[in-house]
Amino acid sequence: MSLQLIPASRTRGVTKKRVRVRAGSSSWNTRVLAPSEHSLYADELRRLTHEEQARQQGELVHGIDLDAYVTKILEKADIAVLIVDGHLAGFCAFYTYDPGQPSAFITLLLLASEGRRGGMARSLLEATAALAVARGFDCLTLQISHRDWPAIRFYLRQGFRESGRYGRDLEMCLDLTGAFSLEACPRRYSASGVGR
């Protein structure tokens, strides 16, 4: 199964899914924040990132200061959020500020436990992909540890394919133009974490 883009509307700089969805007894939605909204979610983004770093025993983000990394995300990245019952339950931080490049880069996608069911992670990817397409990007790329098999399987189910290896990181790419092609997804980021 490959990722299907959901039509999104553009309202005051915020991309939103048109339909509010119910998963089990929880109501949830996803949307891309306007840059002016980043500060409203800063504390929750930091909390979720620190909780996930602890859950993964320091393997989520390695080799850089976690707080400096989150600050960079808040200042420079686009951020799609998952809201479950009125609370932040996950986010996808991605870079689309260089329209001269064919690829938008997902630097971090994470979910709290309540966001790990019913297509919620997929919904974050759909919001991310919709904005990347709207800004003229041909593909989404990300880097992930080669040992993170649950995440690798998830991305493969969404249509991502391997496009490179950098030490212990695997680069994956999702073609947003149609048929997947490695030529459409050049190796843009190095293992040193450029773009993270």
Side-chain angles (χ1 to χ4, degrees), residues 84-193:
V84 176
D85 293 331
H87 301 287
L88 184 69
F91 68 94
C92 180
F94 57 105
Y95 295 107
T96 61
Y97 56 76
D98 189 356
Q101 297 293 324
S103 178
F105 182 74
I106 296 175
T107 188
L108 183 61
L109 187 149
L110 59 85
L111 300 161
S113 59
E114 66 269 21
R116 294 180 184 164
R117 68 185 190 294
M120 293 181 191
R122 180 182 179 92
S123 180
L124 278 173
L125 281 177
E126 289 169 345
T128 300
L131 183 62
V133 167
R135 292 196 176 158
F137 289 92
D138 295 334
C139 65
L140 287 173
T141 58
L142 58 87
Q143 287 183 6
I144 190 165
S145 169
H146 70 279
R147 293 181 291 179
D148 191 349
W149 286 106
I152 291 169
R153 281 191 297 271
F154 166 76
Y155 289 118
L156 287 171
R157 283 192 310 269
Q158 307 315 309
F160 282 80
R161 298 292 178 256
E162 181 180 340
S163 58
R165 290 186 181 258
Y166 304 99
R168 66 184 195 172
D169 288 337
L170 173 69
E171 182 179 83
M172 299 185 81
C173 179
L174 175 69
D175 180 20
L176 299 174
T177 63
F180 179 79
S181 164
L182 286 179
E183 291 76 29
C185 302
R187 294 179 184 176
R188 181 172 163 210
Y189 296 91
S190 69
S192 65

Side-chain angles (χ1 to χ4, degrees), residues 2 14 44 50 53 59 63 67 82 96 101 110 121 129 159 168:
S2 64
V14 181
E44 285 299 298
H50 278 278
Q53 179 79 336
E59 289 296 314
D67 286 318
L82 168 65
T96 61
Q101 297 293 324
L110 59 85
R168 66 184 195 172

Side-chain angles (χ1 to χ4, degrees), residues 4-17:
Q4 299 296 314
L5 299 181
I6 290 186
S9 62
R10 199 76 181 141
T11 308
R12 294 190 184 124
V14 181
T15 302
K16 297 182 181 183
K17 278 186 71 171

